[in-house]
């Protein structure tokens, strides 16, 4: 059972329950070679805090002593490891060294007999240089074997490995087929050669194409990925589990892992690491050590690098800043930067999962930041949902003061008096003054010295926007002085944000009749929208978006047909939800396919009567497939401010 606790990008903090044990994801499983045990499993658990590891059932089965012990006392006792144990099937060994002396049925049965928690099918490893035909053909074998393994698995969980070489359509096909089978974890396999050859752009294609077809209610394992440099990007793409054999393999030939790559001890100029393994040692010490001692020390160093980076990835994920960390990490190697740049091609898929807003500031780290799906969404909604008040625009340059209506208060008022709508050229795109408090516009920090790529991109975007929405546009310093009453900018803002957030039809229903705005005495910002005496909306100070009130929900349900903005729950759940309890995914009957995480939604009963409002925690696809966890964070019907 897998439950999503927090999210950012496609990434998730998950609770993965395996029997009576729980693994928090993202998690890395160190690979233990049962013949070598460079770092003993007990130490991996007690000292390094690993709750799960992976070992190879094929190696155990081929060694008489190990096989007998494993079958007699079980894998957990043999390895002295109290956490979750995953076993691989020998696919990789047979592929690399050509030894195939076990059938799928035999290895699945063997994994069960030694008490593995999560076993693996004998999948067929698909190399990046394989032809399309050969890849397609081998996929069928993997799928047949997976089906067989599902029938045999009993109490053991099973890994159904997505293969498909570098062909995105085959990856998606393979993933969809796996999603329809009774597997428990979705590893993405066949990627080790891509990572070894630093082919990160293709790795991004492979992972994203696989994610497209997979079942979101199961954890995704990136098979063979355990280098610290890839963790932020891979987690951002929605990989939940990783494994590393390299920490020990590299250590055996004196290679140390760092965030910017792997370096040979003999080539290193300094040892600039403060991890518990390296502390107190110099490069000379290390070089003089006995090989066995040195291997252990380097393996420990490598593990510390991985655990530290994974902890940082989790922190950024929880802070809603994983995009920033991934962008920063991807600048540590040109090949990784290719991966980040390729991710832009997957912006549409990323956009479905990317939360509508987050807490805290948004940092621009360079032109690649513009590829974050939030900006695609912003430009789309701006084009589709924004209706200017006037047909003339006054164009203002970006300002570091935000929201823009603060530094430009007088200039905006002057432009409005003259019949011009102020539009600021933000690095995210053109921003009409009335939208300047919304996430991510007001929350963003940009360098004062702009880069040419972004400047040019904005010019084009702004030209298109001005041409499509206005009859005329001038520079801000050309605005004529006009005497007279100030325009009510609050009302323009109130409506524009509602259109942007809920769509034009829903916003028109919310703004029907006589409108009163309640503003904060302290900040002057809009707090409540009262329409014909009904309190329909409240504005959040943090992200500048609205909270939908029950009166508002009723208006939308009356004006826009289902399933728009709705999450329909089973009759059994209605009494709980209407009391203000959260709506859980297992009770969702239907929902709007366009729901985005953190978006305001209306929970309805089976007859489309609104019972609560709240914020979606899951996408529509996830609501339909998650077996556990919150789908909508419901706000109580009473006053929520
Ligand atoms: N280890 C690394 N890559 C793979 C893979 O594609 N399949 C299996 N079973 N194990 C792996
Ligand atoms: Zn170290």
């Amino acid at each position: 059972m897998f439950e999503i606790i927090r999210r950012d990008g496609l990434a998730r903090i998950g609770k993965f329950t395996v029997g009576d044990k729980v693994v928090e994801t993202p998690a890395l499983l160190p690979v233990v070679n049962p013949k070598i045990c460079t770092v003993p499993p007990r130490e991996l658990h007690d000292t390094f805090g690993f709750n799960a590891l992976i070992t190879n059932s094929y190696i155990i089965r081929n060694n008489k002593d190990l096989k007998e012990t494993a079958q007699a006392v079980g894998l957990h006792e043999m390895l002295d490891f109290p956490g979750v144990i995953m076993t691989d099937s020998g696919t990789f060994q047979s592929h690399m060294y050509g030894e195939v002396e076990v059938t799928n049925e035999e290895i699945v049965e063997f994994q069960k007999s030694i008490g593995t928690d999560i076993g693996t099918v004998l999948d067929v490893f698909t190399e990046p240089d394989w032809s399309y035909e050969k890849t397609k053909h081998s996929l069928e074998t993997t799928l047949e074997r997976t089906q067989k393994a599902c029938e045999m698995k009993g109490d053991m969980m099973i890994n159904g490995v997505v293969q498909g070489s570098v062909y995105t359509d085959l990856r998606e096909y393979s993933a969809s087929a796996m999603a329809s089978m009774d597997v428990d974890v979705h590893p993405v396999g066949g990627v080790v050669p891509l990572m070894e050859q630093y082919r990160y752009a293709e790795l991004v294609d492979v992972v994203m194409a696989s994610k497209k077809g997979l079942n979101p209610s199961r954890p995704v394992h990136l098979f063979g990925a355990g280098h610290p440099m890839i963790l932020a990007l891979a987690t951002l793409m929605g990989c939940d589990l990783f494994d590393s054999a390299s920490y020990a393999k590299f250590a055996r030939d004196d290679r140390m892992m760092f965030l910017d790559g792997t370096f040979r001890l003999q080539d290193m100029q300094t040892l600039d690491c403060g991890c518990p393994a390296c502390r107190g040692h110099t490069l000379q010490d290390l070089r003089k050590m006995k090989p066995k001692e040195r291997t252990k020390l380097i393996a420990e160093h490598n593990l510390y690098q991985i655990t530290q980076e994974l902890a940082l990835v989790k922190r950024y994920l929880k802070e809603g800043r994983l995009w920033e960390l991934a962008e920063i990490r991807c600048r540590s190697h040109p090949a990784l930067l290719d991966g980040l740049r390729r991710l832009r091609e997957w912006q549409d898929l990323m956009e479905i999962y990317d939360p509508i807003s987050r807490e805290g500031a948004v940092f621009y780290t360079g032109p690649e930041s513009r590829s974050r799906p939030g900006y695609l969404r912003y430009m789309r909604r701006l084009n589709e949902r924004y209706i200017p008040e006037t047909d003339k625009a006054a164009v203002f340059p970006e300002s570091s003061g935000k929201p823009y209506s603060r530094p430009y208060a007088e200039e905006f008022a002057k432009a409005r008096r003259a019949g011009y709508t102020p539009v600021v050229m933000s690095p995210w795109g053109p921003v009409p003054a009335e939208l300047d408090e919304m996430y991510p516009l007001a929350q963003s920090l940009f360098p004062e010295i702009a880069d040419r790529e972004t400047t040019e991109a904005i010019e084009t975007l702004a030209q298109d926007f001005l041409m499509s929405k206005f009859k005329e546009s001038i520079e801000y310093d050309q605005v004529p002085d006009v005497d007279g009453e100030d325009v009510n900018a609050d009302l323009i803002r109130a409506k524009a944000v509602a259109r942007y957030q809920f769509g034009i039809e829903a916003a028109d229903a919310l703004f029907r009749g006589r409108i009163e705005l309640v503003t904060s005495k302290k900040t002057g910002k809009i707090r409540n929208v009262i329409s014909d005496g009904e309190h329909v909306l409240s504005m959040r100070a943090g992200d500048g978006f609205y909270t939908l009130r029950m009166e508002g929900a009723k208006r939308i349900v009356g004006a826009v047909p289902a399933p728009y903005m709705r999450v329909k729950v089973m009759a059994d759940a209605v009494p709980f939800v209407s009391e203000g309890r959260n709506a859980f995914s297992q009770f969702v009957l239907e929902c709007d396919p366009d729901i985005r995480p953190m978006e305001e939604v209306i929970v309805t009963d089976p007859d489309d009567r609104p019972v609560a409002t709240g914020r979606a925690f899951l996408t529509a696809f996830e609501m339909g497939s998650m077996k556990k966890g919150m789908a909508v964070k419901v706000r109580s019907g009473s006053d929520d401010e």
Side-chain angles (χ1 to χ4, degrees), residues 456-611:
E456 284 175 3
I458 297 312
E459 292 271 321
T460 317
L461 279 178
Q463 283 312 319
D464 292 349
F465 171 73
L466 294 171
M467 294 269 284
S468 72
K469 301 280 182 186
F470 298 92
K471 282 212 183 91
E472 180 196 328
S473 68
I474 57 169
E475 291 299 318
Y476 73 106
D477 50 7
Q478 308 293 310
V479 172
D481 264 319
V482 175
D483 284 338
E485 290 255 314
D486 270 344
V487 174
N488 184 348
D490 279 347
L491 188 60
I492 299 173
R493 175 188 302 283
K495 255 193 227 175
V497 172
R499 284 180 180 141
Y500 179 93
Q501 191 178 352
F502 305 118
I504 292 168
E505 239 185 313
D508 288 350
L510 293 165
F511 279 78
R512 215 168 39 212
R514 191 173 47 84
I515 303 298
E516 263 172 86
L517 299 179
V518 180
T519 52
S520 158
K521 286 197 184 70
K522 220 161 61 194
T523 62
K525 287 190 175 178
I526 300 168
R527 291 190 61 91
N528 299 324
V529 177
I530 321 284
S531 163
D532 274 344
E534 291 176 339
H535 180 184
V536 288
L537 298 168
S538 300
M539 197 178 266
R540 298 191 287 261
D543 65 3
F545 285 125
Y546 286 117
T547 286
L548 183 64
R549 311 270 310 182
M550 275 310 280
E551 296 305 329
K554 286 177 197 159
R555 295 268 189 101
I556 294 173
V557 166
V560 195
Y564 196 74
M565 279 180 71
R566 321 292 209 269
V567 175
K568 186 194 282 188
V569 297
M570 292 174 190
D572 288 354
V574 169
F576 299 97
V577 175
S578 52
E579 257 178 30
R581 297 223 228 147
N582 294 332
F584 287 89
S585 48
Q586 57 270 42
F587 300 114
V588 174
L589 290 172
E590 259 179 70
C591 66
D592 180 347
D594 290 326
I595 288 172
R596 301 292 184 260
M598 304 314 287
E599 195 151 49
E600 289 290 309
V601 290
I602 304 164
V603 183
T604 67
D605 70 6
D607 299 317
D608 201 33
R609 283 184 295 242
V611 292

Side-chain angles (χ1 to χ4, degrees), residues 116-320:
T116 296
D117 294 304
I118 309 165
T120 305
V121 176
L122 190 69
D123 51 317
V124 182
F125 194 96
T126 53
E127 281 284 343
D129 63 355
W130 277 17
S131 74
Y132 189 88
E133 283 312 313
K134 183 175 178 180
T135 305
K136 190 161 189 262
H137 183 75
S138 75
L139 280 185
E140 297 309 323
T141 309
T142 297
L143 293 178
E144 278 164 29
R145 291 181 183 175
T146 307
Q147 184 51 43
K148 185 74 201 166
C150 291
E151 289 159 20
M152 294 171 63
K153 70 177 186 175
D155 290 337
M156 180 178 76
M157 284 188 162
I158 198 90
N159 271 329
V161 188
V162 177
Q163 293 287 352
S165 181
V166 292
Y167 305 105
T168 49
D169 62 328
L170 293 183
R171 285 281 174 181
E172 195 183 337
Y173 162 74
S174 170
S176 306
M178 290 295 165
S180 68
M181 288 191 220
D182 188 22
V183 299
D184 303 277
V185 179
H186 286 306
V188 176
V191 293
V192 169
L194 292 177
M195 291 184 291
E196 281 176 351
Q197 296 162 36
Y198 283 54
R199 290 162 68 177
Y200 292 121
E202 286 157 291
L203 180 72
V204 164
D205 283 340
V206 162
V207 172
M208 293 303 289
S210 304
K211 282 292 287 188
K212 205 169 168 188
L214 287 175
N215 181 333
S217 73
R218 297 171 185 160
V220 174
H221 180 157
L222 193 58
F223 238 144
H227 199 292
M229 68 197 290
I230 191 74
L231 294 177
L233 179 65
T235 303
L236 180 68
M237 291 191 289
C239 298
D240 309 292
L241 299 171
F242 304 92
D243 65 277
S244 176
S246 329
Y247 79 93
K249 236 192 290 182
F250 288 174
R252 285 196 286 278
D253 41 74
D254 289 338
R255 287 196 285 166
M256 301 182 79
M257 291 164 125
F258 290 95
L259 280 171
D260 52 348
T262 309
F263 302 95
R264 281 176 201 285
L265 192 60
Q266 73 213 51
D267 300 334
M268 287 166 61
Q269 304 294 324
T270 58
L271 179 64
D272 48 15
C273 180
C275 85
C278 295
R279 206 174 293 151
H281 291 287
T282 63
L283 209 52
Q284 282 68 31
D285 288 348
L286 245 66
R287 286 179 181 154
K288 276 192 236 143
M289 261 181 195
K290 289 197 190 91
K292 199 161 172 220
E293 242 178 272
R294 185 168 60 230
T295 300
K296 175 113 197 287
L297 189 150
I298 297 178
E300 287 177 2
H301 159 88
N302 289 344
L303 285 172
Y304 280 121
Q305 292 289 315
I306 295 168
T307 50
Q308 198 179 341
E309 177 65 357
L310 197 62
L312 195 67
V313 165
K314 283 190 185 176
R315 169 155 81 81
Y316 271 77
L317 198 169
K318 288 178 180 169
E319 290 173 353

Side-chain angles (χ1 to χ4, degrees), residues 369-383:
S369 294
R370 298 198 61 258
S371 308
R372 294 184 203 169
Y375 310 110
L376 174 76
R377 176 187 291 147
Y378 171 69
M379 284 310 298
R380 269 193 193 151
R381 289 197 176 189
L382 189 67
N383 286 323

